[in-house]
C-alpha cells in the first residue's frame, strides 16, 4: 500500500507543476501539457478514490492555471466530484473488471468497533461471547491501527466472524444497516470515536511505513544493508513533528492564506489550488 501512497503524492504534485510550467507557453504546447496533467489528476483519484473531493481544485487549476476564481470553483466543484466519482467504477469495474471487495465496509467495521468501544455495547449485527465482548469494549479499538480487527491479536476474531462463509456479514446490507442504526443510537460515542481517530492521525505518532512487515526475517528488506539505514532514519524521525500530518495541515493553511492575495497570478493560483486540495 505504501507504493500506492507514494505514487499518489508524486502524481498529484507533478500535475499542477506541469500546468504551472506551461501556463505562459504557446497554446498548442499548453493544451498538450494540460491534457497530461488532467490524466495525472484522474490517475490520483484512481489510486485513492477518497480524494474525489480534493481533485476538483487541482483539475480546475490545470484547466485555468492563470488565476484562481472562487465563483468558477464553486460552480464546477460538485459536477467535478460527480465525474471523478463515476470514473472509479467505470475504470475498475467496467474496463479492468476488478473484483469487488467492499473497501467502504472496512470503514464501517472500524466505526462499529469505535462505537462499541465508547458506548460499552456491542454494535455489530452478530452475537459475541462474554470474553469477546469484553475485548471489543476494551482492547480491540486502536485509533493507530484501524485494521486491528483484521490482523492484530487478539482481535482478528471479529473479521473471522463477519466473513464466515455460512453467515457472512461483511459486504452485505446487514453491515450497512447496523452502521445506520448505531450512529443515531449512540451519536456521542460515534463523535468520540471519530475525534479520537482524527486527533491520533493529526497530532500523535503514527505508523508511517510498514516497517514491521519489512523487518520480518522472511522479508528481503530485512536483510538488505542498503535498507536497514532507512529504517533507522524512519525510527528516528517518526516521533518528531515532521511526521505529524497536523503540521502539514497547518502549513498548507498558512501558505494558502498568504497566497490568497496573489490568486490572480499563475504562481498564486498554484499555491492556493494545491494547498486547498491538500487541506480537503
Amino acid at each position: 500500500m505504501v507504493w500506492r501512497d507514494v505514487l499518489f503524492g508524486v502524481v498529484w504534485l507533478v500535475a499542477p507543476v506541469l500546468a504551472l510550467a506551461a501556463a505562459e507557453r504557446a497554446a498548442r504546447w499548453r493544451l498538450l501539457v494540460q491534457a497530461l496533467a488532467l490524466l495525472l489528476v484522474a490517475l490520483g483519484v484512481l489510486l485513492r478514490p477518497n480524494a474525489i473531493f480534493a481533485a476538483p481544485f487541482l483539475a480546475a487549476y490545470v484547466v485555468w492555471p492563470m488565476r484562481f476564481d472562487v465563483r468558477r470553483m464553486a460552480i464546477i466543484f460538485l459536477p467535478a466530484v460527480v465525474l471523478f466519482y463515476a470514473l472509479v467504477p467505470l475504470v475498475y469495474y467496467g474496463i479492468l473488471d476488478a473484483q469487488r471487495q467492499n473497501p467502504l465496509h472496512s470503514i464501517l467495521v472500524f466505526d462499529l468497533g469505535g462505537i462499541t468501544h465508547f458506548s460499552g455495547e456491542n454494535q455489530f449485527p452478530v452475537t459475541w461471547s462474554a470474553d469477546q465482548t469484553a475485548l471489543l469494549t476494551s482492547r480491540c479499538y486502536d485509533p493507530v491501527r484501524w485494521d486491528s480487527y483484521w490482523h492484530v491479536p487478539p482481535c482478528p476474531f471479529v473479521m473471522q466472524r463477519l466473513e464466515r462463509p455460512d453467515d457472512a456479514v461483511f459486504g452485505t446490507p446487514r453491515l450497512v444497516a447496523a452502521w445506520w442504526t448505531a450512529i443515531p443510537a449512540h451519536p456521542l460515542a460515534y463523535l468520540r470515536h471519530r475525534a479520537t481517530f482524527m486527533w491520533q492521525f493529526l497530532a500523535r505518532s503514527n505508523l508511517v511505513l510498514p516497517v514491521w512487515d519489512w523487518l520480518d526475517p522472511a522479508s528481503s528488506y530485512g536483510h538488505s544493508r542498503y535498507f536497514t539505514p532507512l529504517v533507522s532514519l524512519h525510527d528516528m524521525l517518526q516521533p518528531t513533528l515532521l511526521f505529524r500530518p497536523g503540521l502539514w495541515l497547518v502549513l498548507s493553511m498558512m501558505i494558502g492564506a498568504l497566497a490568497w492575495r496573489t490568486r490572480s497570478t499563475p504562481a498564486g493560483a498554484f499555491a492556493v489550488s494545491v494547498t486547498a486540495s491538500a487541506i480537503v
Side-chain angles (χ1 to χ4, degrees):
M1 301 296 282
V2 171
W3 70 265
R4 181 199 65 179
D5 293 335
V6 172
L7 180 59
F8 168 73
V10 170
V11 161
W12 266 27
L13 284 174
V14 170
V17 167
L18 287 176
L20 176 63
E24 297 179 348
R25 299 296 180 90
R28 183 178 179 181
W29 167 253
R30 185 172 65 252
L31 290 174
L32 289 174
V33 173
Q34 286 175 311
L36 175 59
L38 275 178
L39 288 176
L40 292 177
V41 174
L43 175 60
V45 171
L46 293 175
L47 290 169
R48 267 208 169 276
N50 61 347
I52 59 172
F53 293 102
F57 293 97
L58 290 187
Y61 174 73
V62 167
V63 177
W64 299 287
M66 300 305 293
R67 64 192 300 266
F68 181 88
D69 188 282
V70 177
R71 182 180 178 183
R72 181 170 56 202
M73 189 70 246
I75 292 173
I76 71 166
F77 182 79
L78 286 180
V81 168
V82 172
L83 287 174
F84 284 121
Y85 179 82
L87 178 68
V88 176
L90 173 65
V91 172
Y92 282 129
Y93 303 131
I95 298 176
L96 300 179
D97 194 24
Q99 179 183 356
R100 294 178 181 269
Q101 296 183 324
N102 302 291
L104 183 60
H105 282 215
S106 302
I107 301 175
L108 304 189
V109 170
F110 184 51
D111 282 348
L112 290 173
I115 299 173
T116 297
H117 173 77
F118 286 106
S119 70
E121 299 176 10
N122 173 40
Q123 302 302 313
F124 291 96
V126 297
T127 302
W128 310 102
S129 69
D131 290 342
Q132 290 173 335
T133 301
L135 287 171
L136 282 169
T137 56
S138 58
R139 294 174 55 189
C140 286
Y141 179 71
D142 183 0
V144 179
R145 296 289 302 272
W146 66 270
D147 61 344
S148 59
Y149 302 101
W150 278 258
H151 307 300
V152 181
C155 300
F157 71 86
V158 176
M159 286 308 299
Q160 291 170 8
R161 171 61 187 87
L162 296 181
E163 293 182 316
R164 198 170 74 186
D166 62 329
D167 187 25
V169 176
F170 189 84
T172 71
R174 290 172 61 191
L175 191 67
V176 179
W179 186 81
W180 279 113
T181 301
I183 292 178
H186 302 280
L188 294 181
Y190 175 72
L191 291 176
R192 287 183 64 188
H193 148 61
R194 276 290 150 195
T196 300
F197 174 73
M198 185 59 70
W199 181 250
Q200 172 66 48
F201 175 70
L202 291 177
R204 293 179 176 172
S205 181
N206 296 283
L207 181 65
V208 180
L209 298 176
V211 291
W212 298 336
D213 296 333
W214 291 347
L215 291 179
D216 187 288
S219 169
S220 59
Y221 289 106
H223 303 285
S224 171
R225 59 191 176 94
Y226 301 106
F227 185 72
T228 48
L230 176 62
V231 175
S232 299
L233 179 63
H234 163 271
D235 293 341
M236 180 178 66
L237 294 178
Q238 183 181 357
T240 68
L241 280 176
L242 186 64
F243 278 14
R244 299 289 199 277
L247 170 66
W248 302 102
L249 176 62
V250 171
L251 289 176
S252 293
M253 291 177 174
M254 293 174 59
I255 293 171
L258 291 172
W260 184 254
R261 292 179 300 175
T262 62
R263 63 187 182 278
S264 296
T265 67
F270 173 89
V272 171
S273 300
V274 171
T275 56
S277 176
I279 291 167
V280 172

